[in-house]
Amino acid sequence: MSTSEPEHETHNTQAVKDLSDSQVRQYLRKFYYISNDISLDKEWGDLFTEDGVYIMGNKKAKGPEAIRKLRKKLFEDIPSRDHSPIKIFSHGNHDDDTELMILGTVGWTYHAGHGHEGDWAAHVKLHKGEDGMVRCAYYQIICVSILFLVKRGGWKIKKREEKGEGRPLVMDRC
């Protein structure tokens, strides 16, 4: 590990240590550091390629500016987040850390002061540009929360179609 890598080292980026590519390790440390800081909107968009895609639930943005706008909207109701990657799996051969599956936890706090914690996963595709920089080309957060109601005879999954919305109930914020 180079001496420049720990620049963004926090408790929530320990999972990256198992990746073989030092540029990817450094990028992911920076990614989650910036992800958790509401004041770093410009830097957040800069982490993505010009045609980068960011998906969370039914929300999708393409390109750094649209991704910045979506992030700003996501932080409106939740001013504080703390993402903690727990395990990172690399797709393909052992030396290629550009397509990843990441499992983690997140804690978030609402303006009123109460908070929650949850699990998340992300499918990530990174791109190494000709300039040597690593950027995110695709980031999809997989975060599902299903409301279970007790009913005679067992559990029932409450779906949005029961409310007339026609889709399963999914968590839109991680």
Side-chain angles (χ1 to χ4, degrees):
M1 185 188 282
S2 72
T3 56
S4 64
E5 276 194 67
E7 177 184 349
H8 297 288
E9 189 68 53
T10 65
H11 72 282
N12 63 357
T13 57
Q14 293 298 314
V16 303
K17 70 183 181 324
D18 294 331
L19 296 172
S20 61
D21 188 318
S22 64
Q23 285 182 296
V24 171
R25 286 193 308 263
Q26 187 173 2
Y27 173 84
L28 288 173
R29 286 183 178 108
K30 182 178 181 180
F31 185 92
Y32 289 106
Y33 176 84
I34 291 172
S35 175
N36 291 328
D37 190 334
I38 192 171
S39 70
L40 299 175
D41 280 335
K42 180 185 180 326
E43 292 84 351
W44 176 250
D46 293 344
L47 294 170
F48 291 84
T49 60
E50 286 302 313
D51 60 349
V53 174
Y54 181 85
I55 303 169
M56 185 167 68
N58 61 355
K59 295 170 178 57
K60 180 178 181 179
K62 184 174 182 179
E65 190 56 37
I67 291 169
R68 280 186 197 98
K69 287 179 183 178
L70 176 57
R71 178 181 195 252
K72 196 168 224 154
K73 183 177 179 177
L74 294 173
F75 267 108
E76 283 177 356
D77 298 324
I78 302 174
S80 174
R81 289 190 180 85
D82 187 19
H83 293 85
S84 296
I86 303 300
K87 183 70 178 166
I88 301 175
F89 302 91
S90 181
H91 292 269
N93 68 49
H94 181 68
D95 294 329
D96 183 9
D97 291 333
T98 57
E99 187 168 3
L100 307 168
M101 190 72 197
I102 303 174
L103 304 177
T105 61
V106 63
W108 64 93
T109 305
Y110 295 97
H111 288 288
H114 67 287
H116 294 284
E117 291 184 1
D119 297 323
W120 58 271
H123 179 200
V124 181
K125 294 180 184 177
L126 301 175
H127 175 75
K128 291 184 181 181
E130 291 179 18
D131 60 359
M133 298 293 293
V134 176
R135 289 188 179 83
C136 190
Y138 181 86
Y139 194 90
Q140 180 181 17
I141 299 172
I142 302 156
C143 196
V144 179
S145 175
I146 300 174
L147 176 62
F148 289 93
L149 299 176
V150 178
K151 193 172 184 179
R152 259 195 262 154
W155 295 92
K156 178 181 179 188
I157 299 174
K158 182 168 181 143
K159 295 187 176 183
R160 282 192 174 145
E161 60 255 16
E162 293 175 18
K163 297 183 198 176
E165 295 180 33
R167 296 186 323 256
L169 179 65
V170 296
M171 181 176 176
D172 290 332
R173 301 198 186 267
C174 292

